[in-house]
Amino acid sequence: MLQSQPRFLTLEGGEGAGKSTVLSALRDALLADGQDVVCTREPGGTPLAERIREVLLGVGDEPMDAHAELLLMFAARAQHVTQVIRPALARGAWVICDRFTDSSYAYQGAARGLDTAFIAALERGAVGIVPGLTLLLDLDVASARARTRGRDLLGESAPDRIESERDAFFEHVRMGFRERATREPERFRVLDASLRAEQVAANAVAALADYRKQWS
Ligand code: TMP
């Protein structure tokens, strides 16, 4: 069974789309309104899930099987949901998560070609919750590449195992996200991430305000 959680917000999109800036802006907007907010990320968000993240993103000698990748993503997610997300929601906090199950549909489903029905079974069996609002930061692959390359040149980080994939992979990721947004227009808001970071953040805050009006 899947349960939609109104105070659970997720950010999705490819690398270089500006999720961190948007996450801070959403957190600040909720804090300014006196709300309790928990910010977290996937894969990761608990000590054990962060260890799984290291396994997932580390560049090793042995190629990772696509199902191993999918199952590790869900192992980290199950831990994260139980330890962090559900308890926070239960006490009435907002949870803003940088990536969630939609990333598994886009990366492991659309881009790696794994069976969507299998992913859906894992979602139902091991996760059980769906965000009330998902902001998709949509950016074309060439612009995203230019941004992440700039980051790498600044020495902020070397590309991880998934960032090292080819452009065709990221085209599939982008299409995977957009397809999900089209299928669930109630839950998704698609934001143009090619705009200036401050503008994208302002649009995200406006989308959240609009979403919150549903209950007032
Ligand atoms: P990040 O760099 O945005 O923190 O995300 C880590 C990487 O993990 C990114 O390349 C997307 C990938 N990912 C998946 O492939 N499937 C998933 O379910 C999640 C949550 C992330």
Side-chain angles (χ1 to χ4, degrees), residues 14 20 38 60-61 78-79 89 94 122 140 156 190:
S20 335
V38 172
D61 294 338
Q79 187 69 15
L89 293 171
W94 288 81
L122 290 170
D140 67 275
E156 284 178 25
V190 182

Side-chain angles (χ1 to χ4, degrees), residues 155-202:
E156 284 178 25
S157 59
D160 64 38
R161 191 179 57 80
I162 296 179
E163 281 168 348
S164 310
E165 288 290 343
R166 296 165 188 278
D167 283 0
F169 178 86
F170 293 107
E171 295 288 358
H172 287 297
V173 168
R174 184 182 188 207
M175 287 308 135
F177 277 130
R178 286 164 62 115
E179 234 170 65
R180 289 187 66 71
T182 307
R183 235 180 260 176
E184 290 184 69
E186 292 293 304
R187 173 164 72 90
F188 275 90
R189 302 284 183 284
V190 182
L191 301 178
D192 177 358
S194 70
L195 304 173
R196 280 186 12 259
E198 305 78 54
Q199 188 58 56
V200 181

Side-chain angles (χ1 to χ4, degrees), residues 15 19 42-43 53 73 77 99 103-104 107-108 162:
E15 5 282 293
K19 286 186 280 103
E42 290 215 340
R53 178 187 177 94
M73 291 291 176
R77 183 164 300 130
R99 299 193 181 282
S103 276
S104 297
Y107 284 80
Q108 284 67 50
I162 296 179

